[in-house]
Amino acid sequence: MPSRRAFLSGLGAAGLTATAGCLAGFDADPGSDETYGWPSGGGNDWNSRAVPNGTAPRDDPTVDRTHEFDGIPAGDPVVTAGTVLLNTGVDVIAFDREDLSRRWSVAPDDNDAFSYTGAPAVADGVAYVPERDTLVARDLDTGERLWSRGFEYVFRETTPLVIDRGDDHRVVIGAGEYLRAFDGATGELRWERRLDGIVRGPAARALASVYGTVYAATTGGELYAVDHDGRVRWNRTVNAGIRTAPTVVGSRGPNGNSIRGSGDVVVGDGDGSVRCFDPTGGHRWRTGLRGFVEGGIAAGHGGVFAVSGGGLYALNAESGNHAWRTGIGNATRPTPPALVGDTIYVGGERLHGVDVGGGVGVRSVRVGETRFEHGVDGGASYVTAADGTLFATVAGESGSGRLVVLS
């Protein structure tokens, strides 16, 4: 591989010095927060898959421990101070975080059907678990069922959205054509809204919402903004359909209280692009990729990051302009990116750690963007982080998988 100096000299020799403004990506410093979690699929209530001030390995990490399981990865590993929750497709299992010993699980002992999708969400010692067609609240430590609410349809790759309202919280989740909000403590139905189409993935809370305005998408291509009483504020149609859950462009500042970002909402379009809408529903931008967006979208440090067609793409969150692209190889399972500190972690043929800035270069012709490529036996899929440690799922052969903890 050429040196950075030789590479840049080559660009100049080729007459590409006019593109110098495209050489750099996004500015970001290594994170300093060592005490954070990944309490839900999507990482937070904005579904941004990002902890911009978090710490995580920036060099090739070391495997601390692994756990093999029957099934295939079916959602983000959800990580709290003492527990890891994992959906294996045939079960949802709670592990002790220190040694990955099993605490409890939800499926019957003889279950071998792939019937669980998505990830749980955790708040105040309660795990909210989508179990086929029923939302179940369970004690995080024991797995005891606290309450449950059935739906008319099975859940589709979703995770409950937990909205903190100060003295209580709401749990919002969709199945079939219905989006419903429940009291987190009692399971009492607070509101429901029938949407035009099948709900796609988890909802996301609006950035500036105090009382709980949420965004929800349907497979038919409708993006909704629904207020805290279930009333539709606006909806927009994406003709080719929507392939991802909505992601809000926003993050918390280093003090954990201030909020940064535009509050725009981005989705993966069924035509192989990413679309961005502002908080009032106005269309901001559309950017084409080389294929469908896979898994989910991360947002932070002024960028929007998505996996498509064997590559990790970085787009400018304000304009949608391409910033950079790097290859990650063929992915056999969803490989949504996770942003922690100044590094993006993403699966594929290997577990990749990529500089948020993208190294230097033009589009996909770059050097210095890869911090590490960690070999795995199988395909790396979902990757999350907590307290400076990575939690990655690996899809093996013949319906088996592994949870790998790296630091």
Side-chain angles (χ1 to χ4, degrees), residues 101-120:
S101 59
R102 181 186 294 232
R103 287 185 179 173
W104 52 266
S105 64
V106 306
D109 292 338
D110 59 349
N111 181 63
D112 59 2
F114 187 86
S115 52
Y116 298 91
T117 60

Side-chain angles (χ1 to χ4, degrees), residues 69 73 75-77 86 379-383 391-395 402-404:
F69 57 83
D76 276 353
L86 181 66
S381 183
Y382 298 93
V383 184
F391 297 79
T393 59
V394 177
R402 298 192 314 279
L403 172 64
V404 184

Side-chain angles (χ1 to χ4, degrees), residues 93-136:
I93 306 171
F95 299 98
D96 183 276
R97 179 170 158 178
E98 290 301 317
D99 59 9
L100 295 185
S101 59
R102 181 186 294 232
R103 287 185 179 173
W104 52 266
S105 64
V106 306
D109 292 338
D110 59 349
N111 181 63
D112 59 2
F114 187 86
S115 52
Y116 298 91
T117 60
V122 176
D124 296 337
V126 178
Y128 299 97
V129 186
E131 301 180 20
R132 298 178 177 170
D133 60 355
T134 304
L135 174 64
V136 182

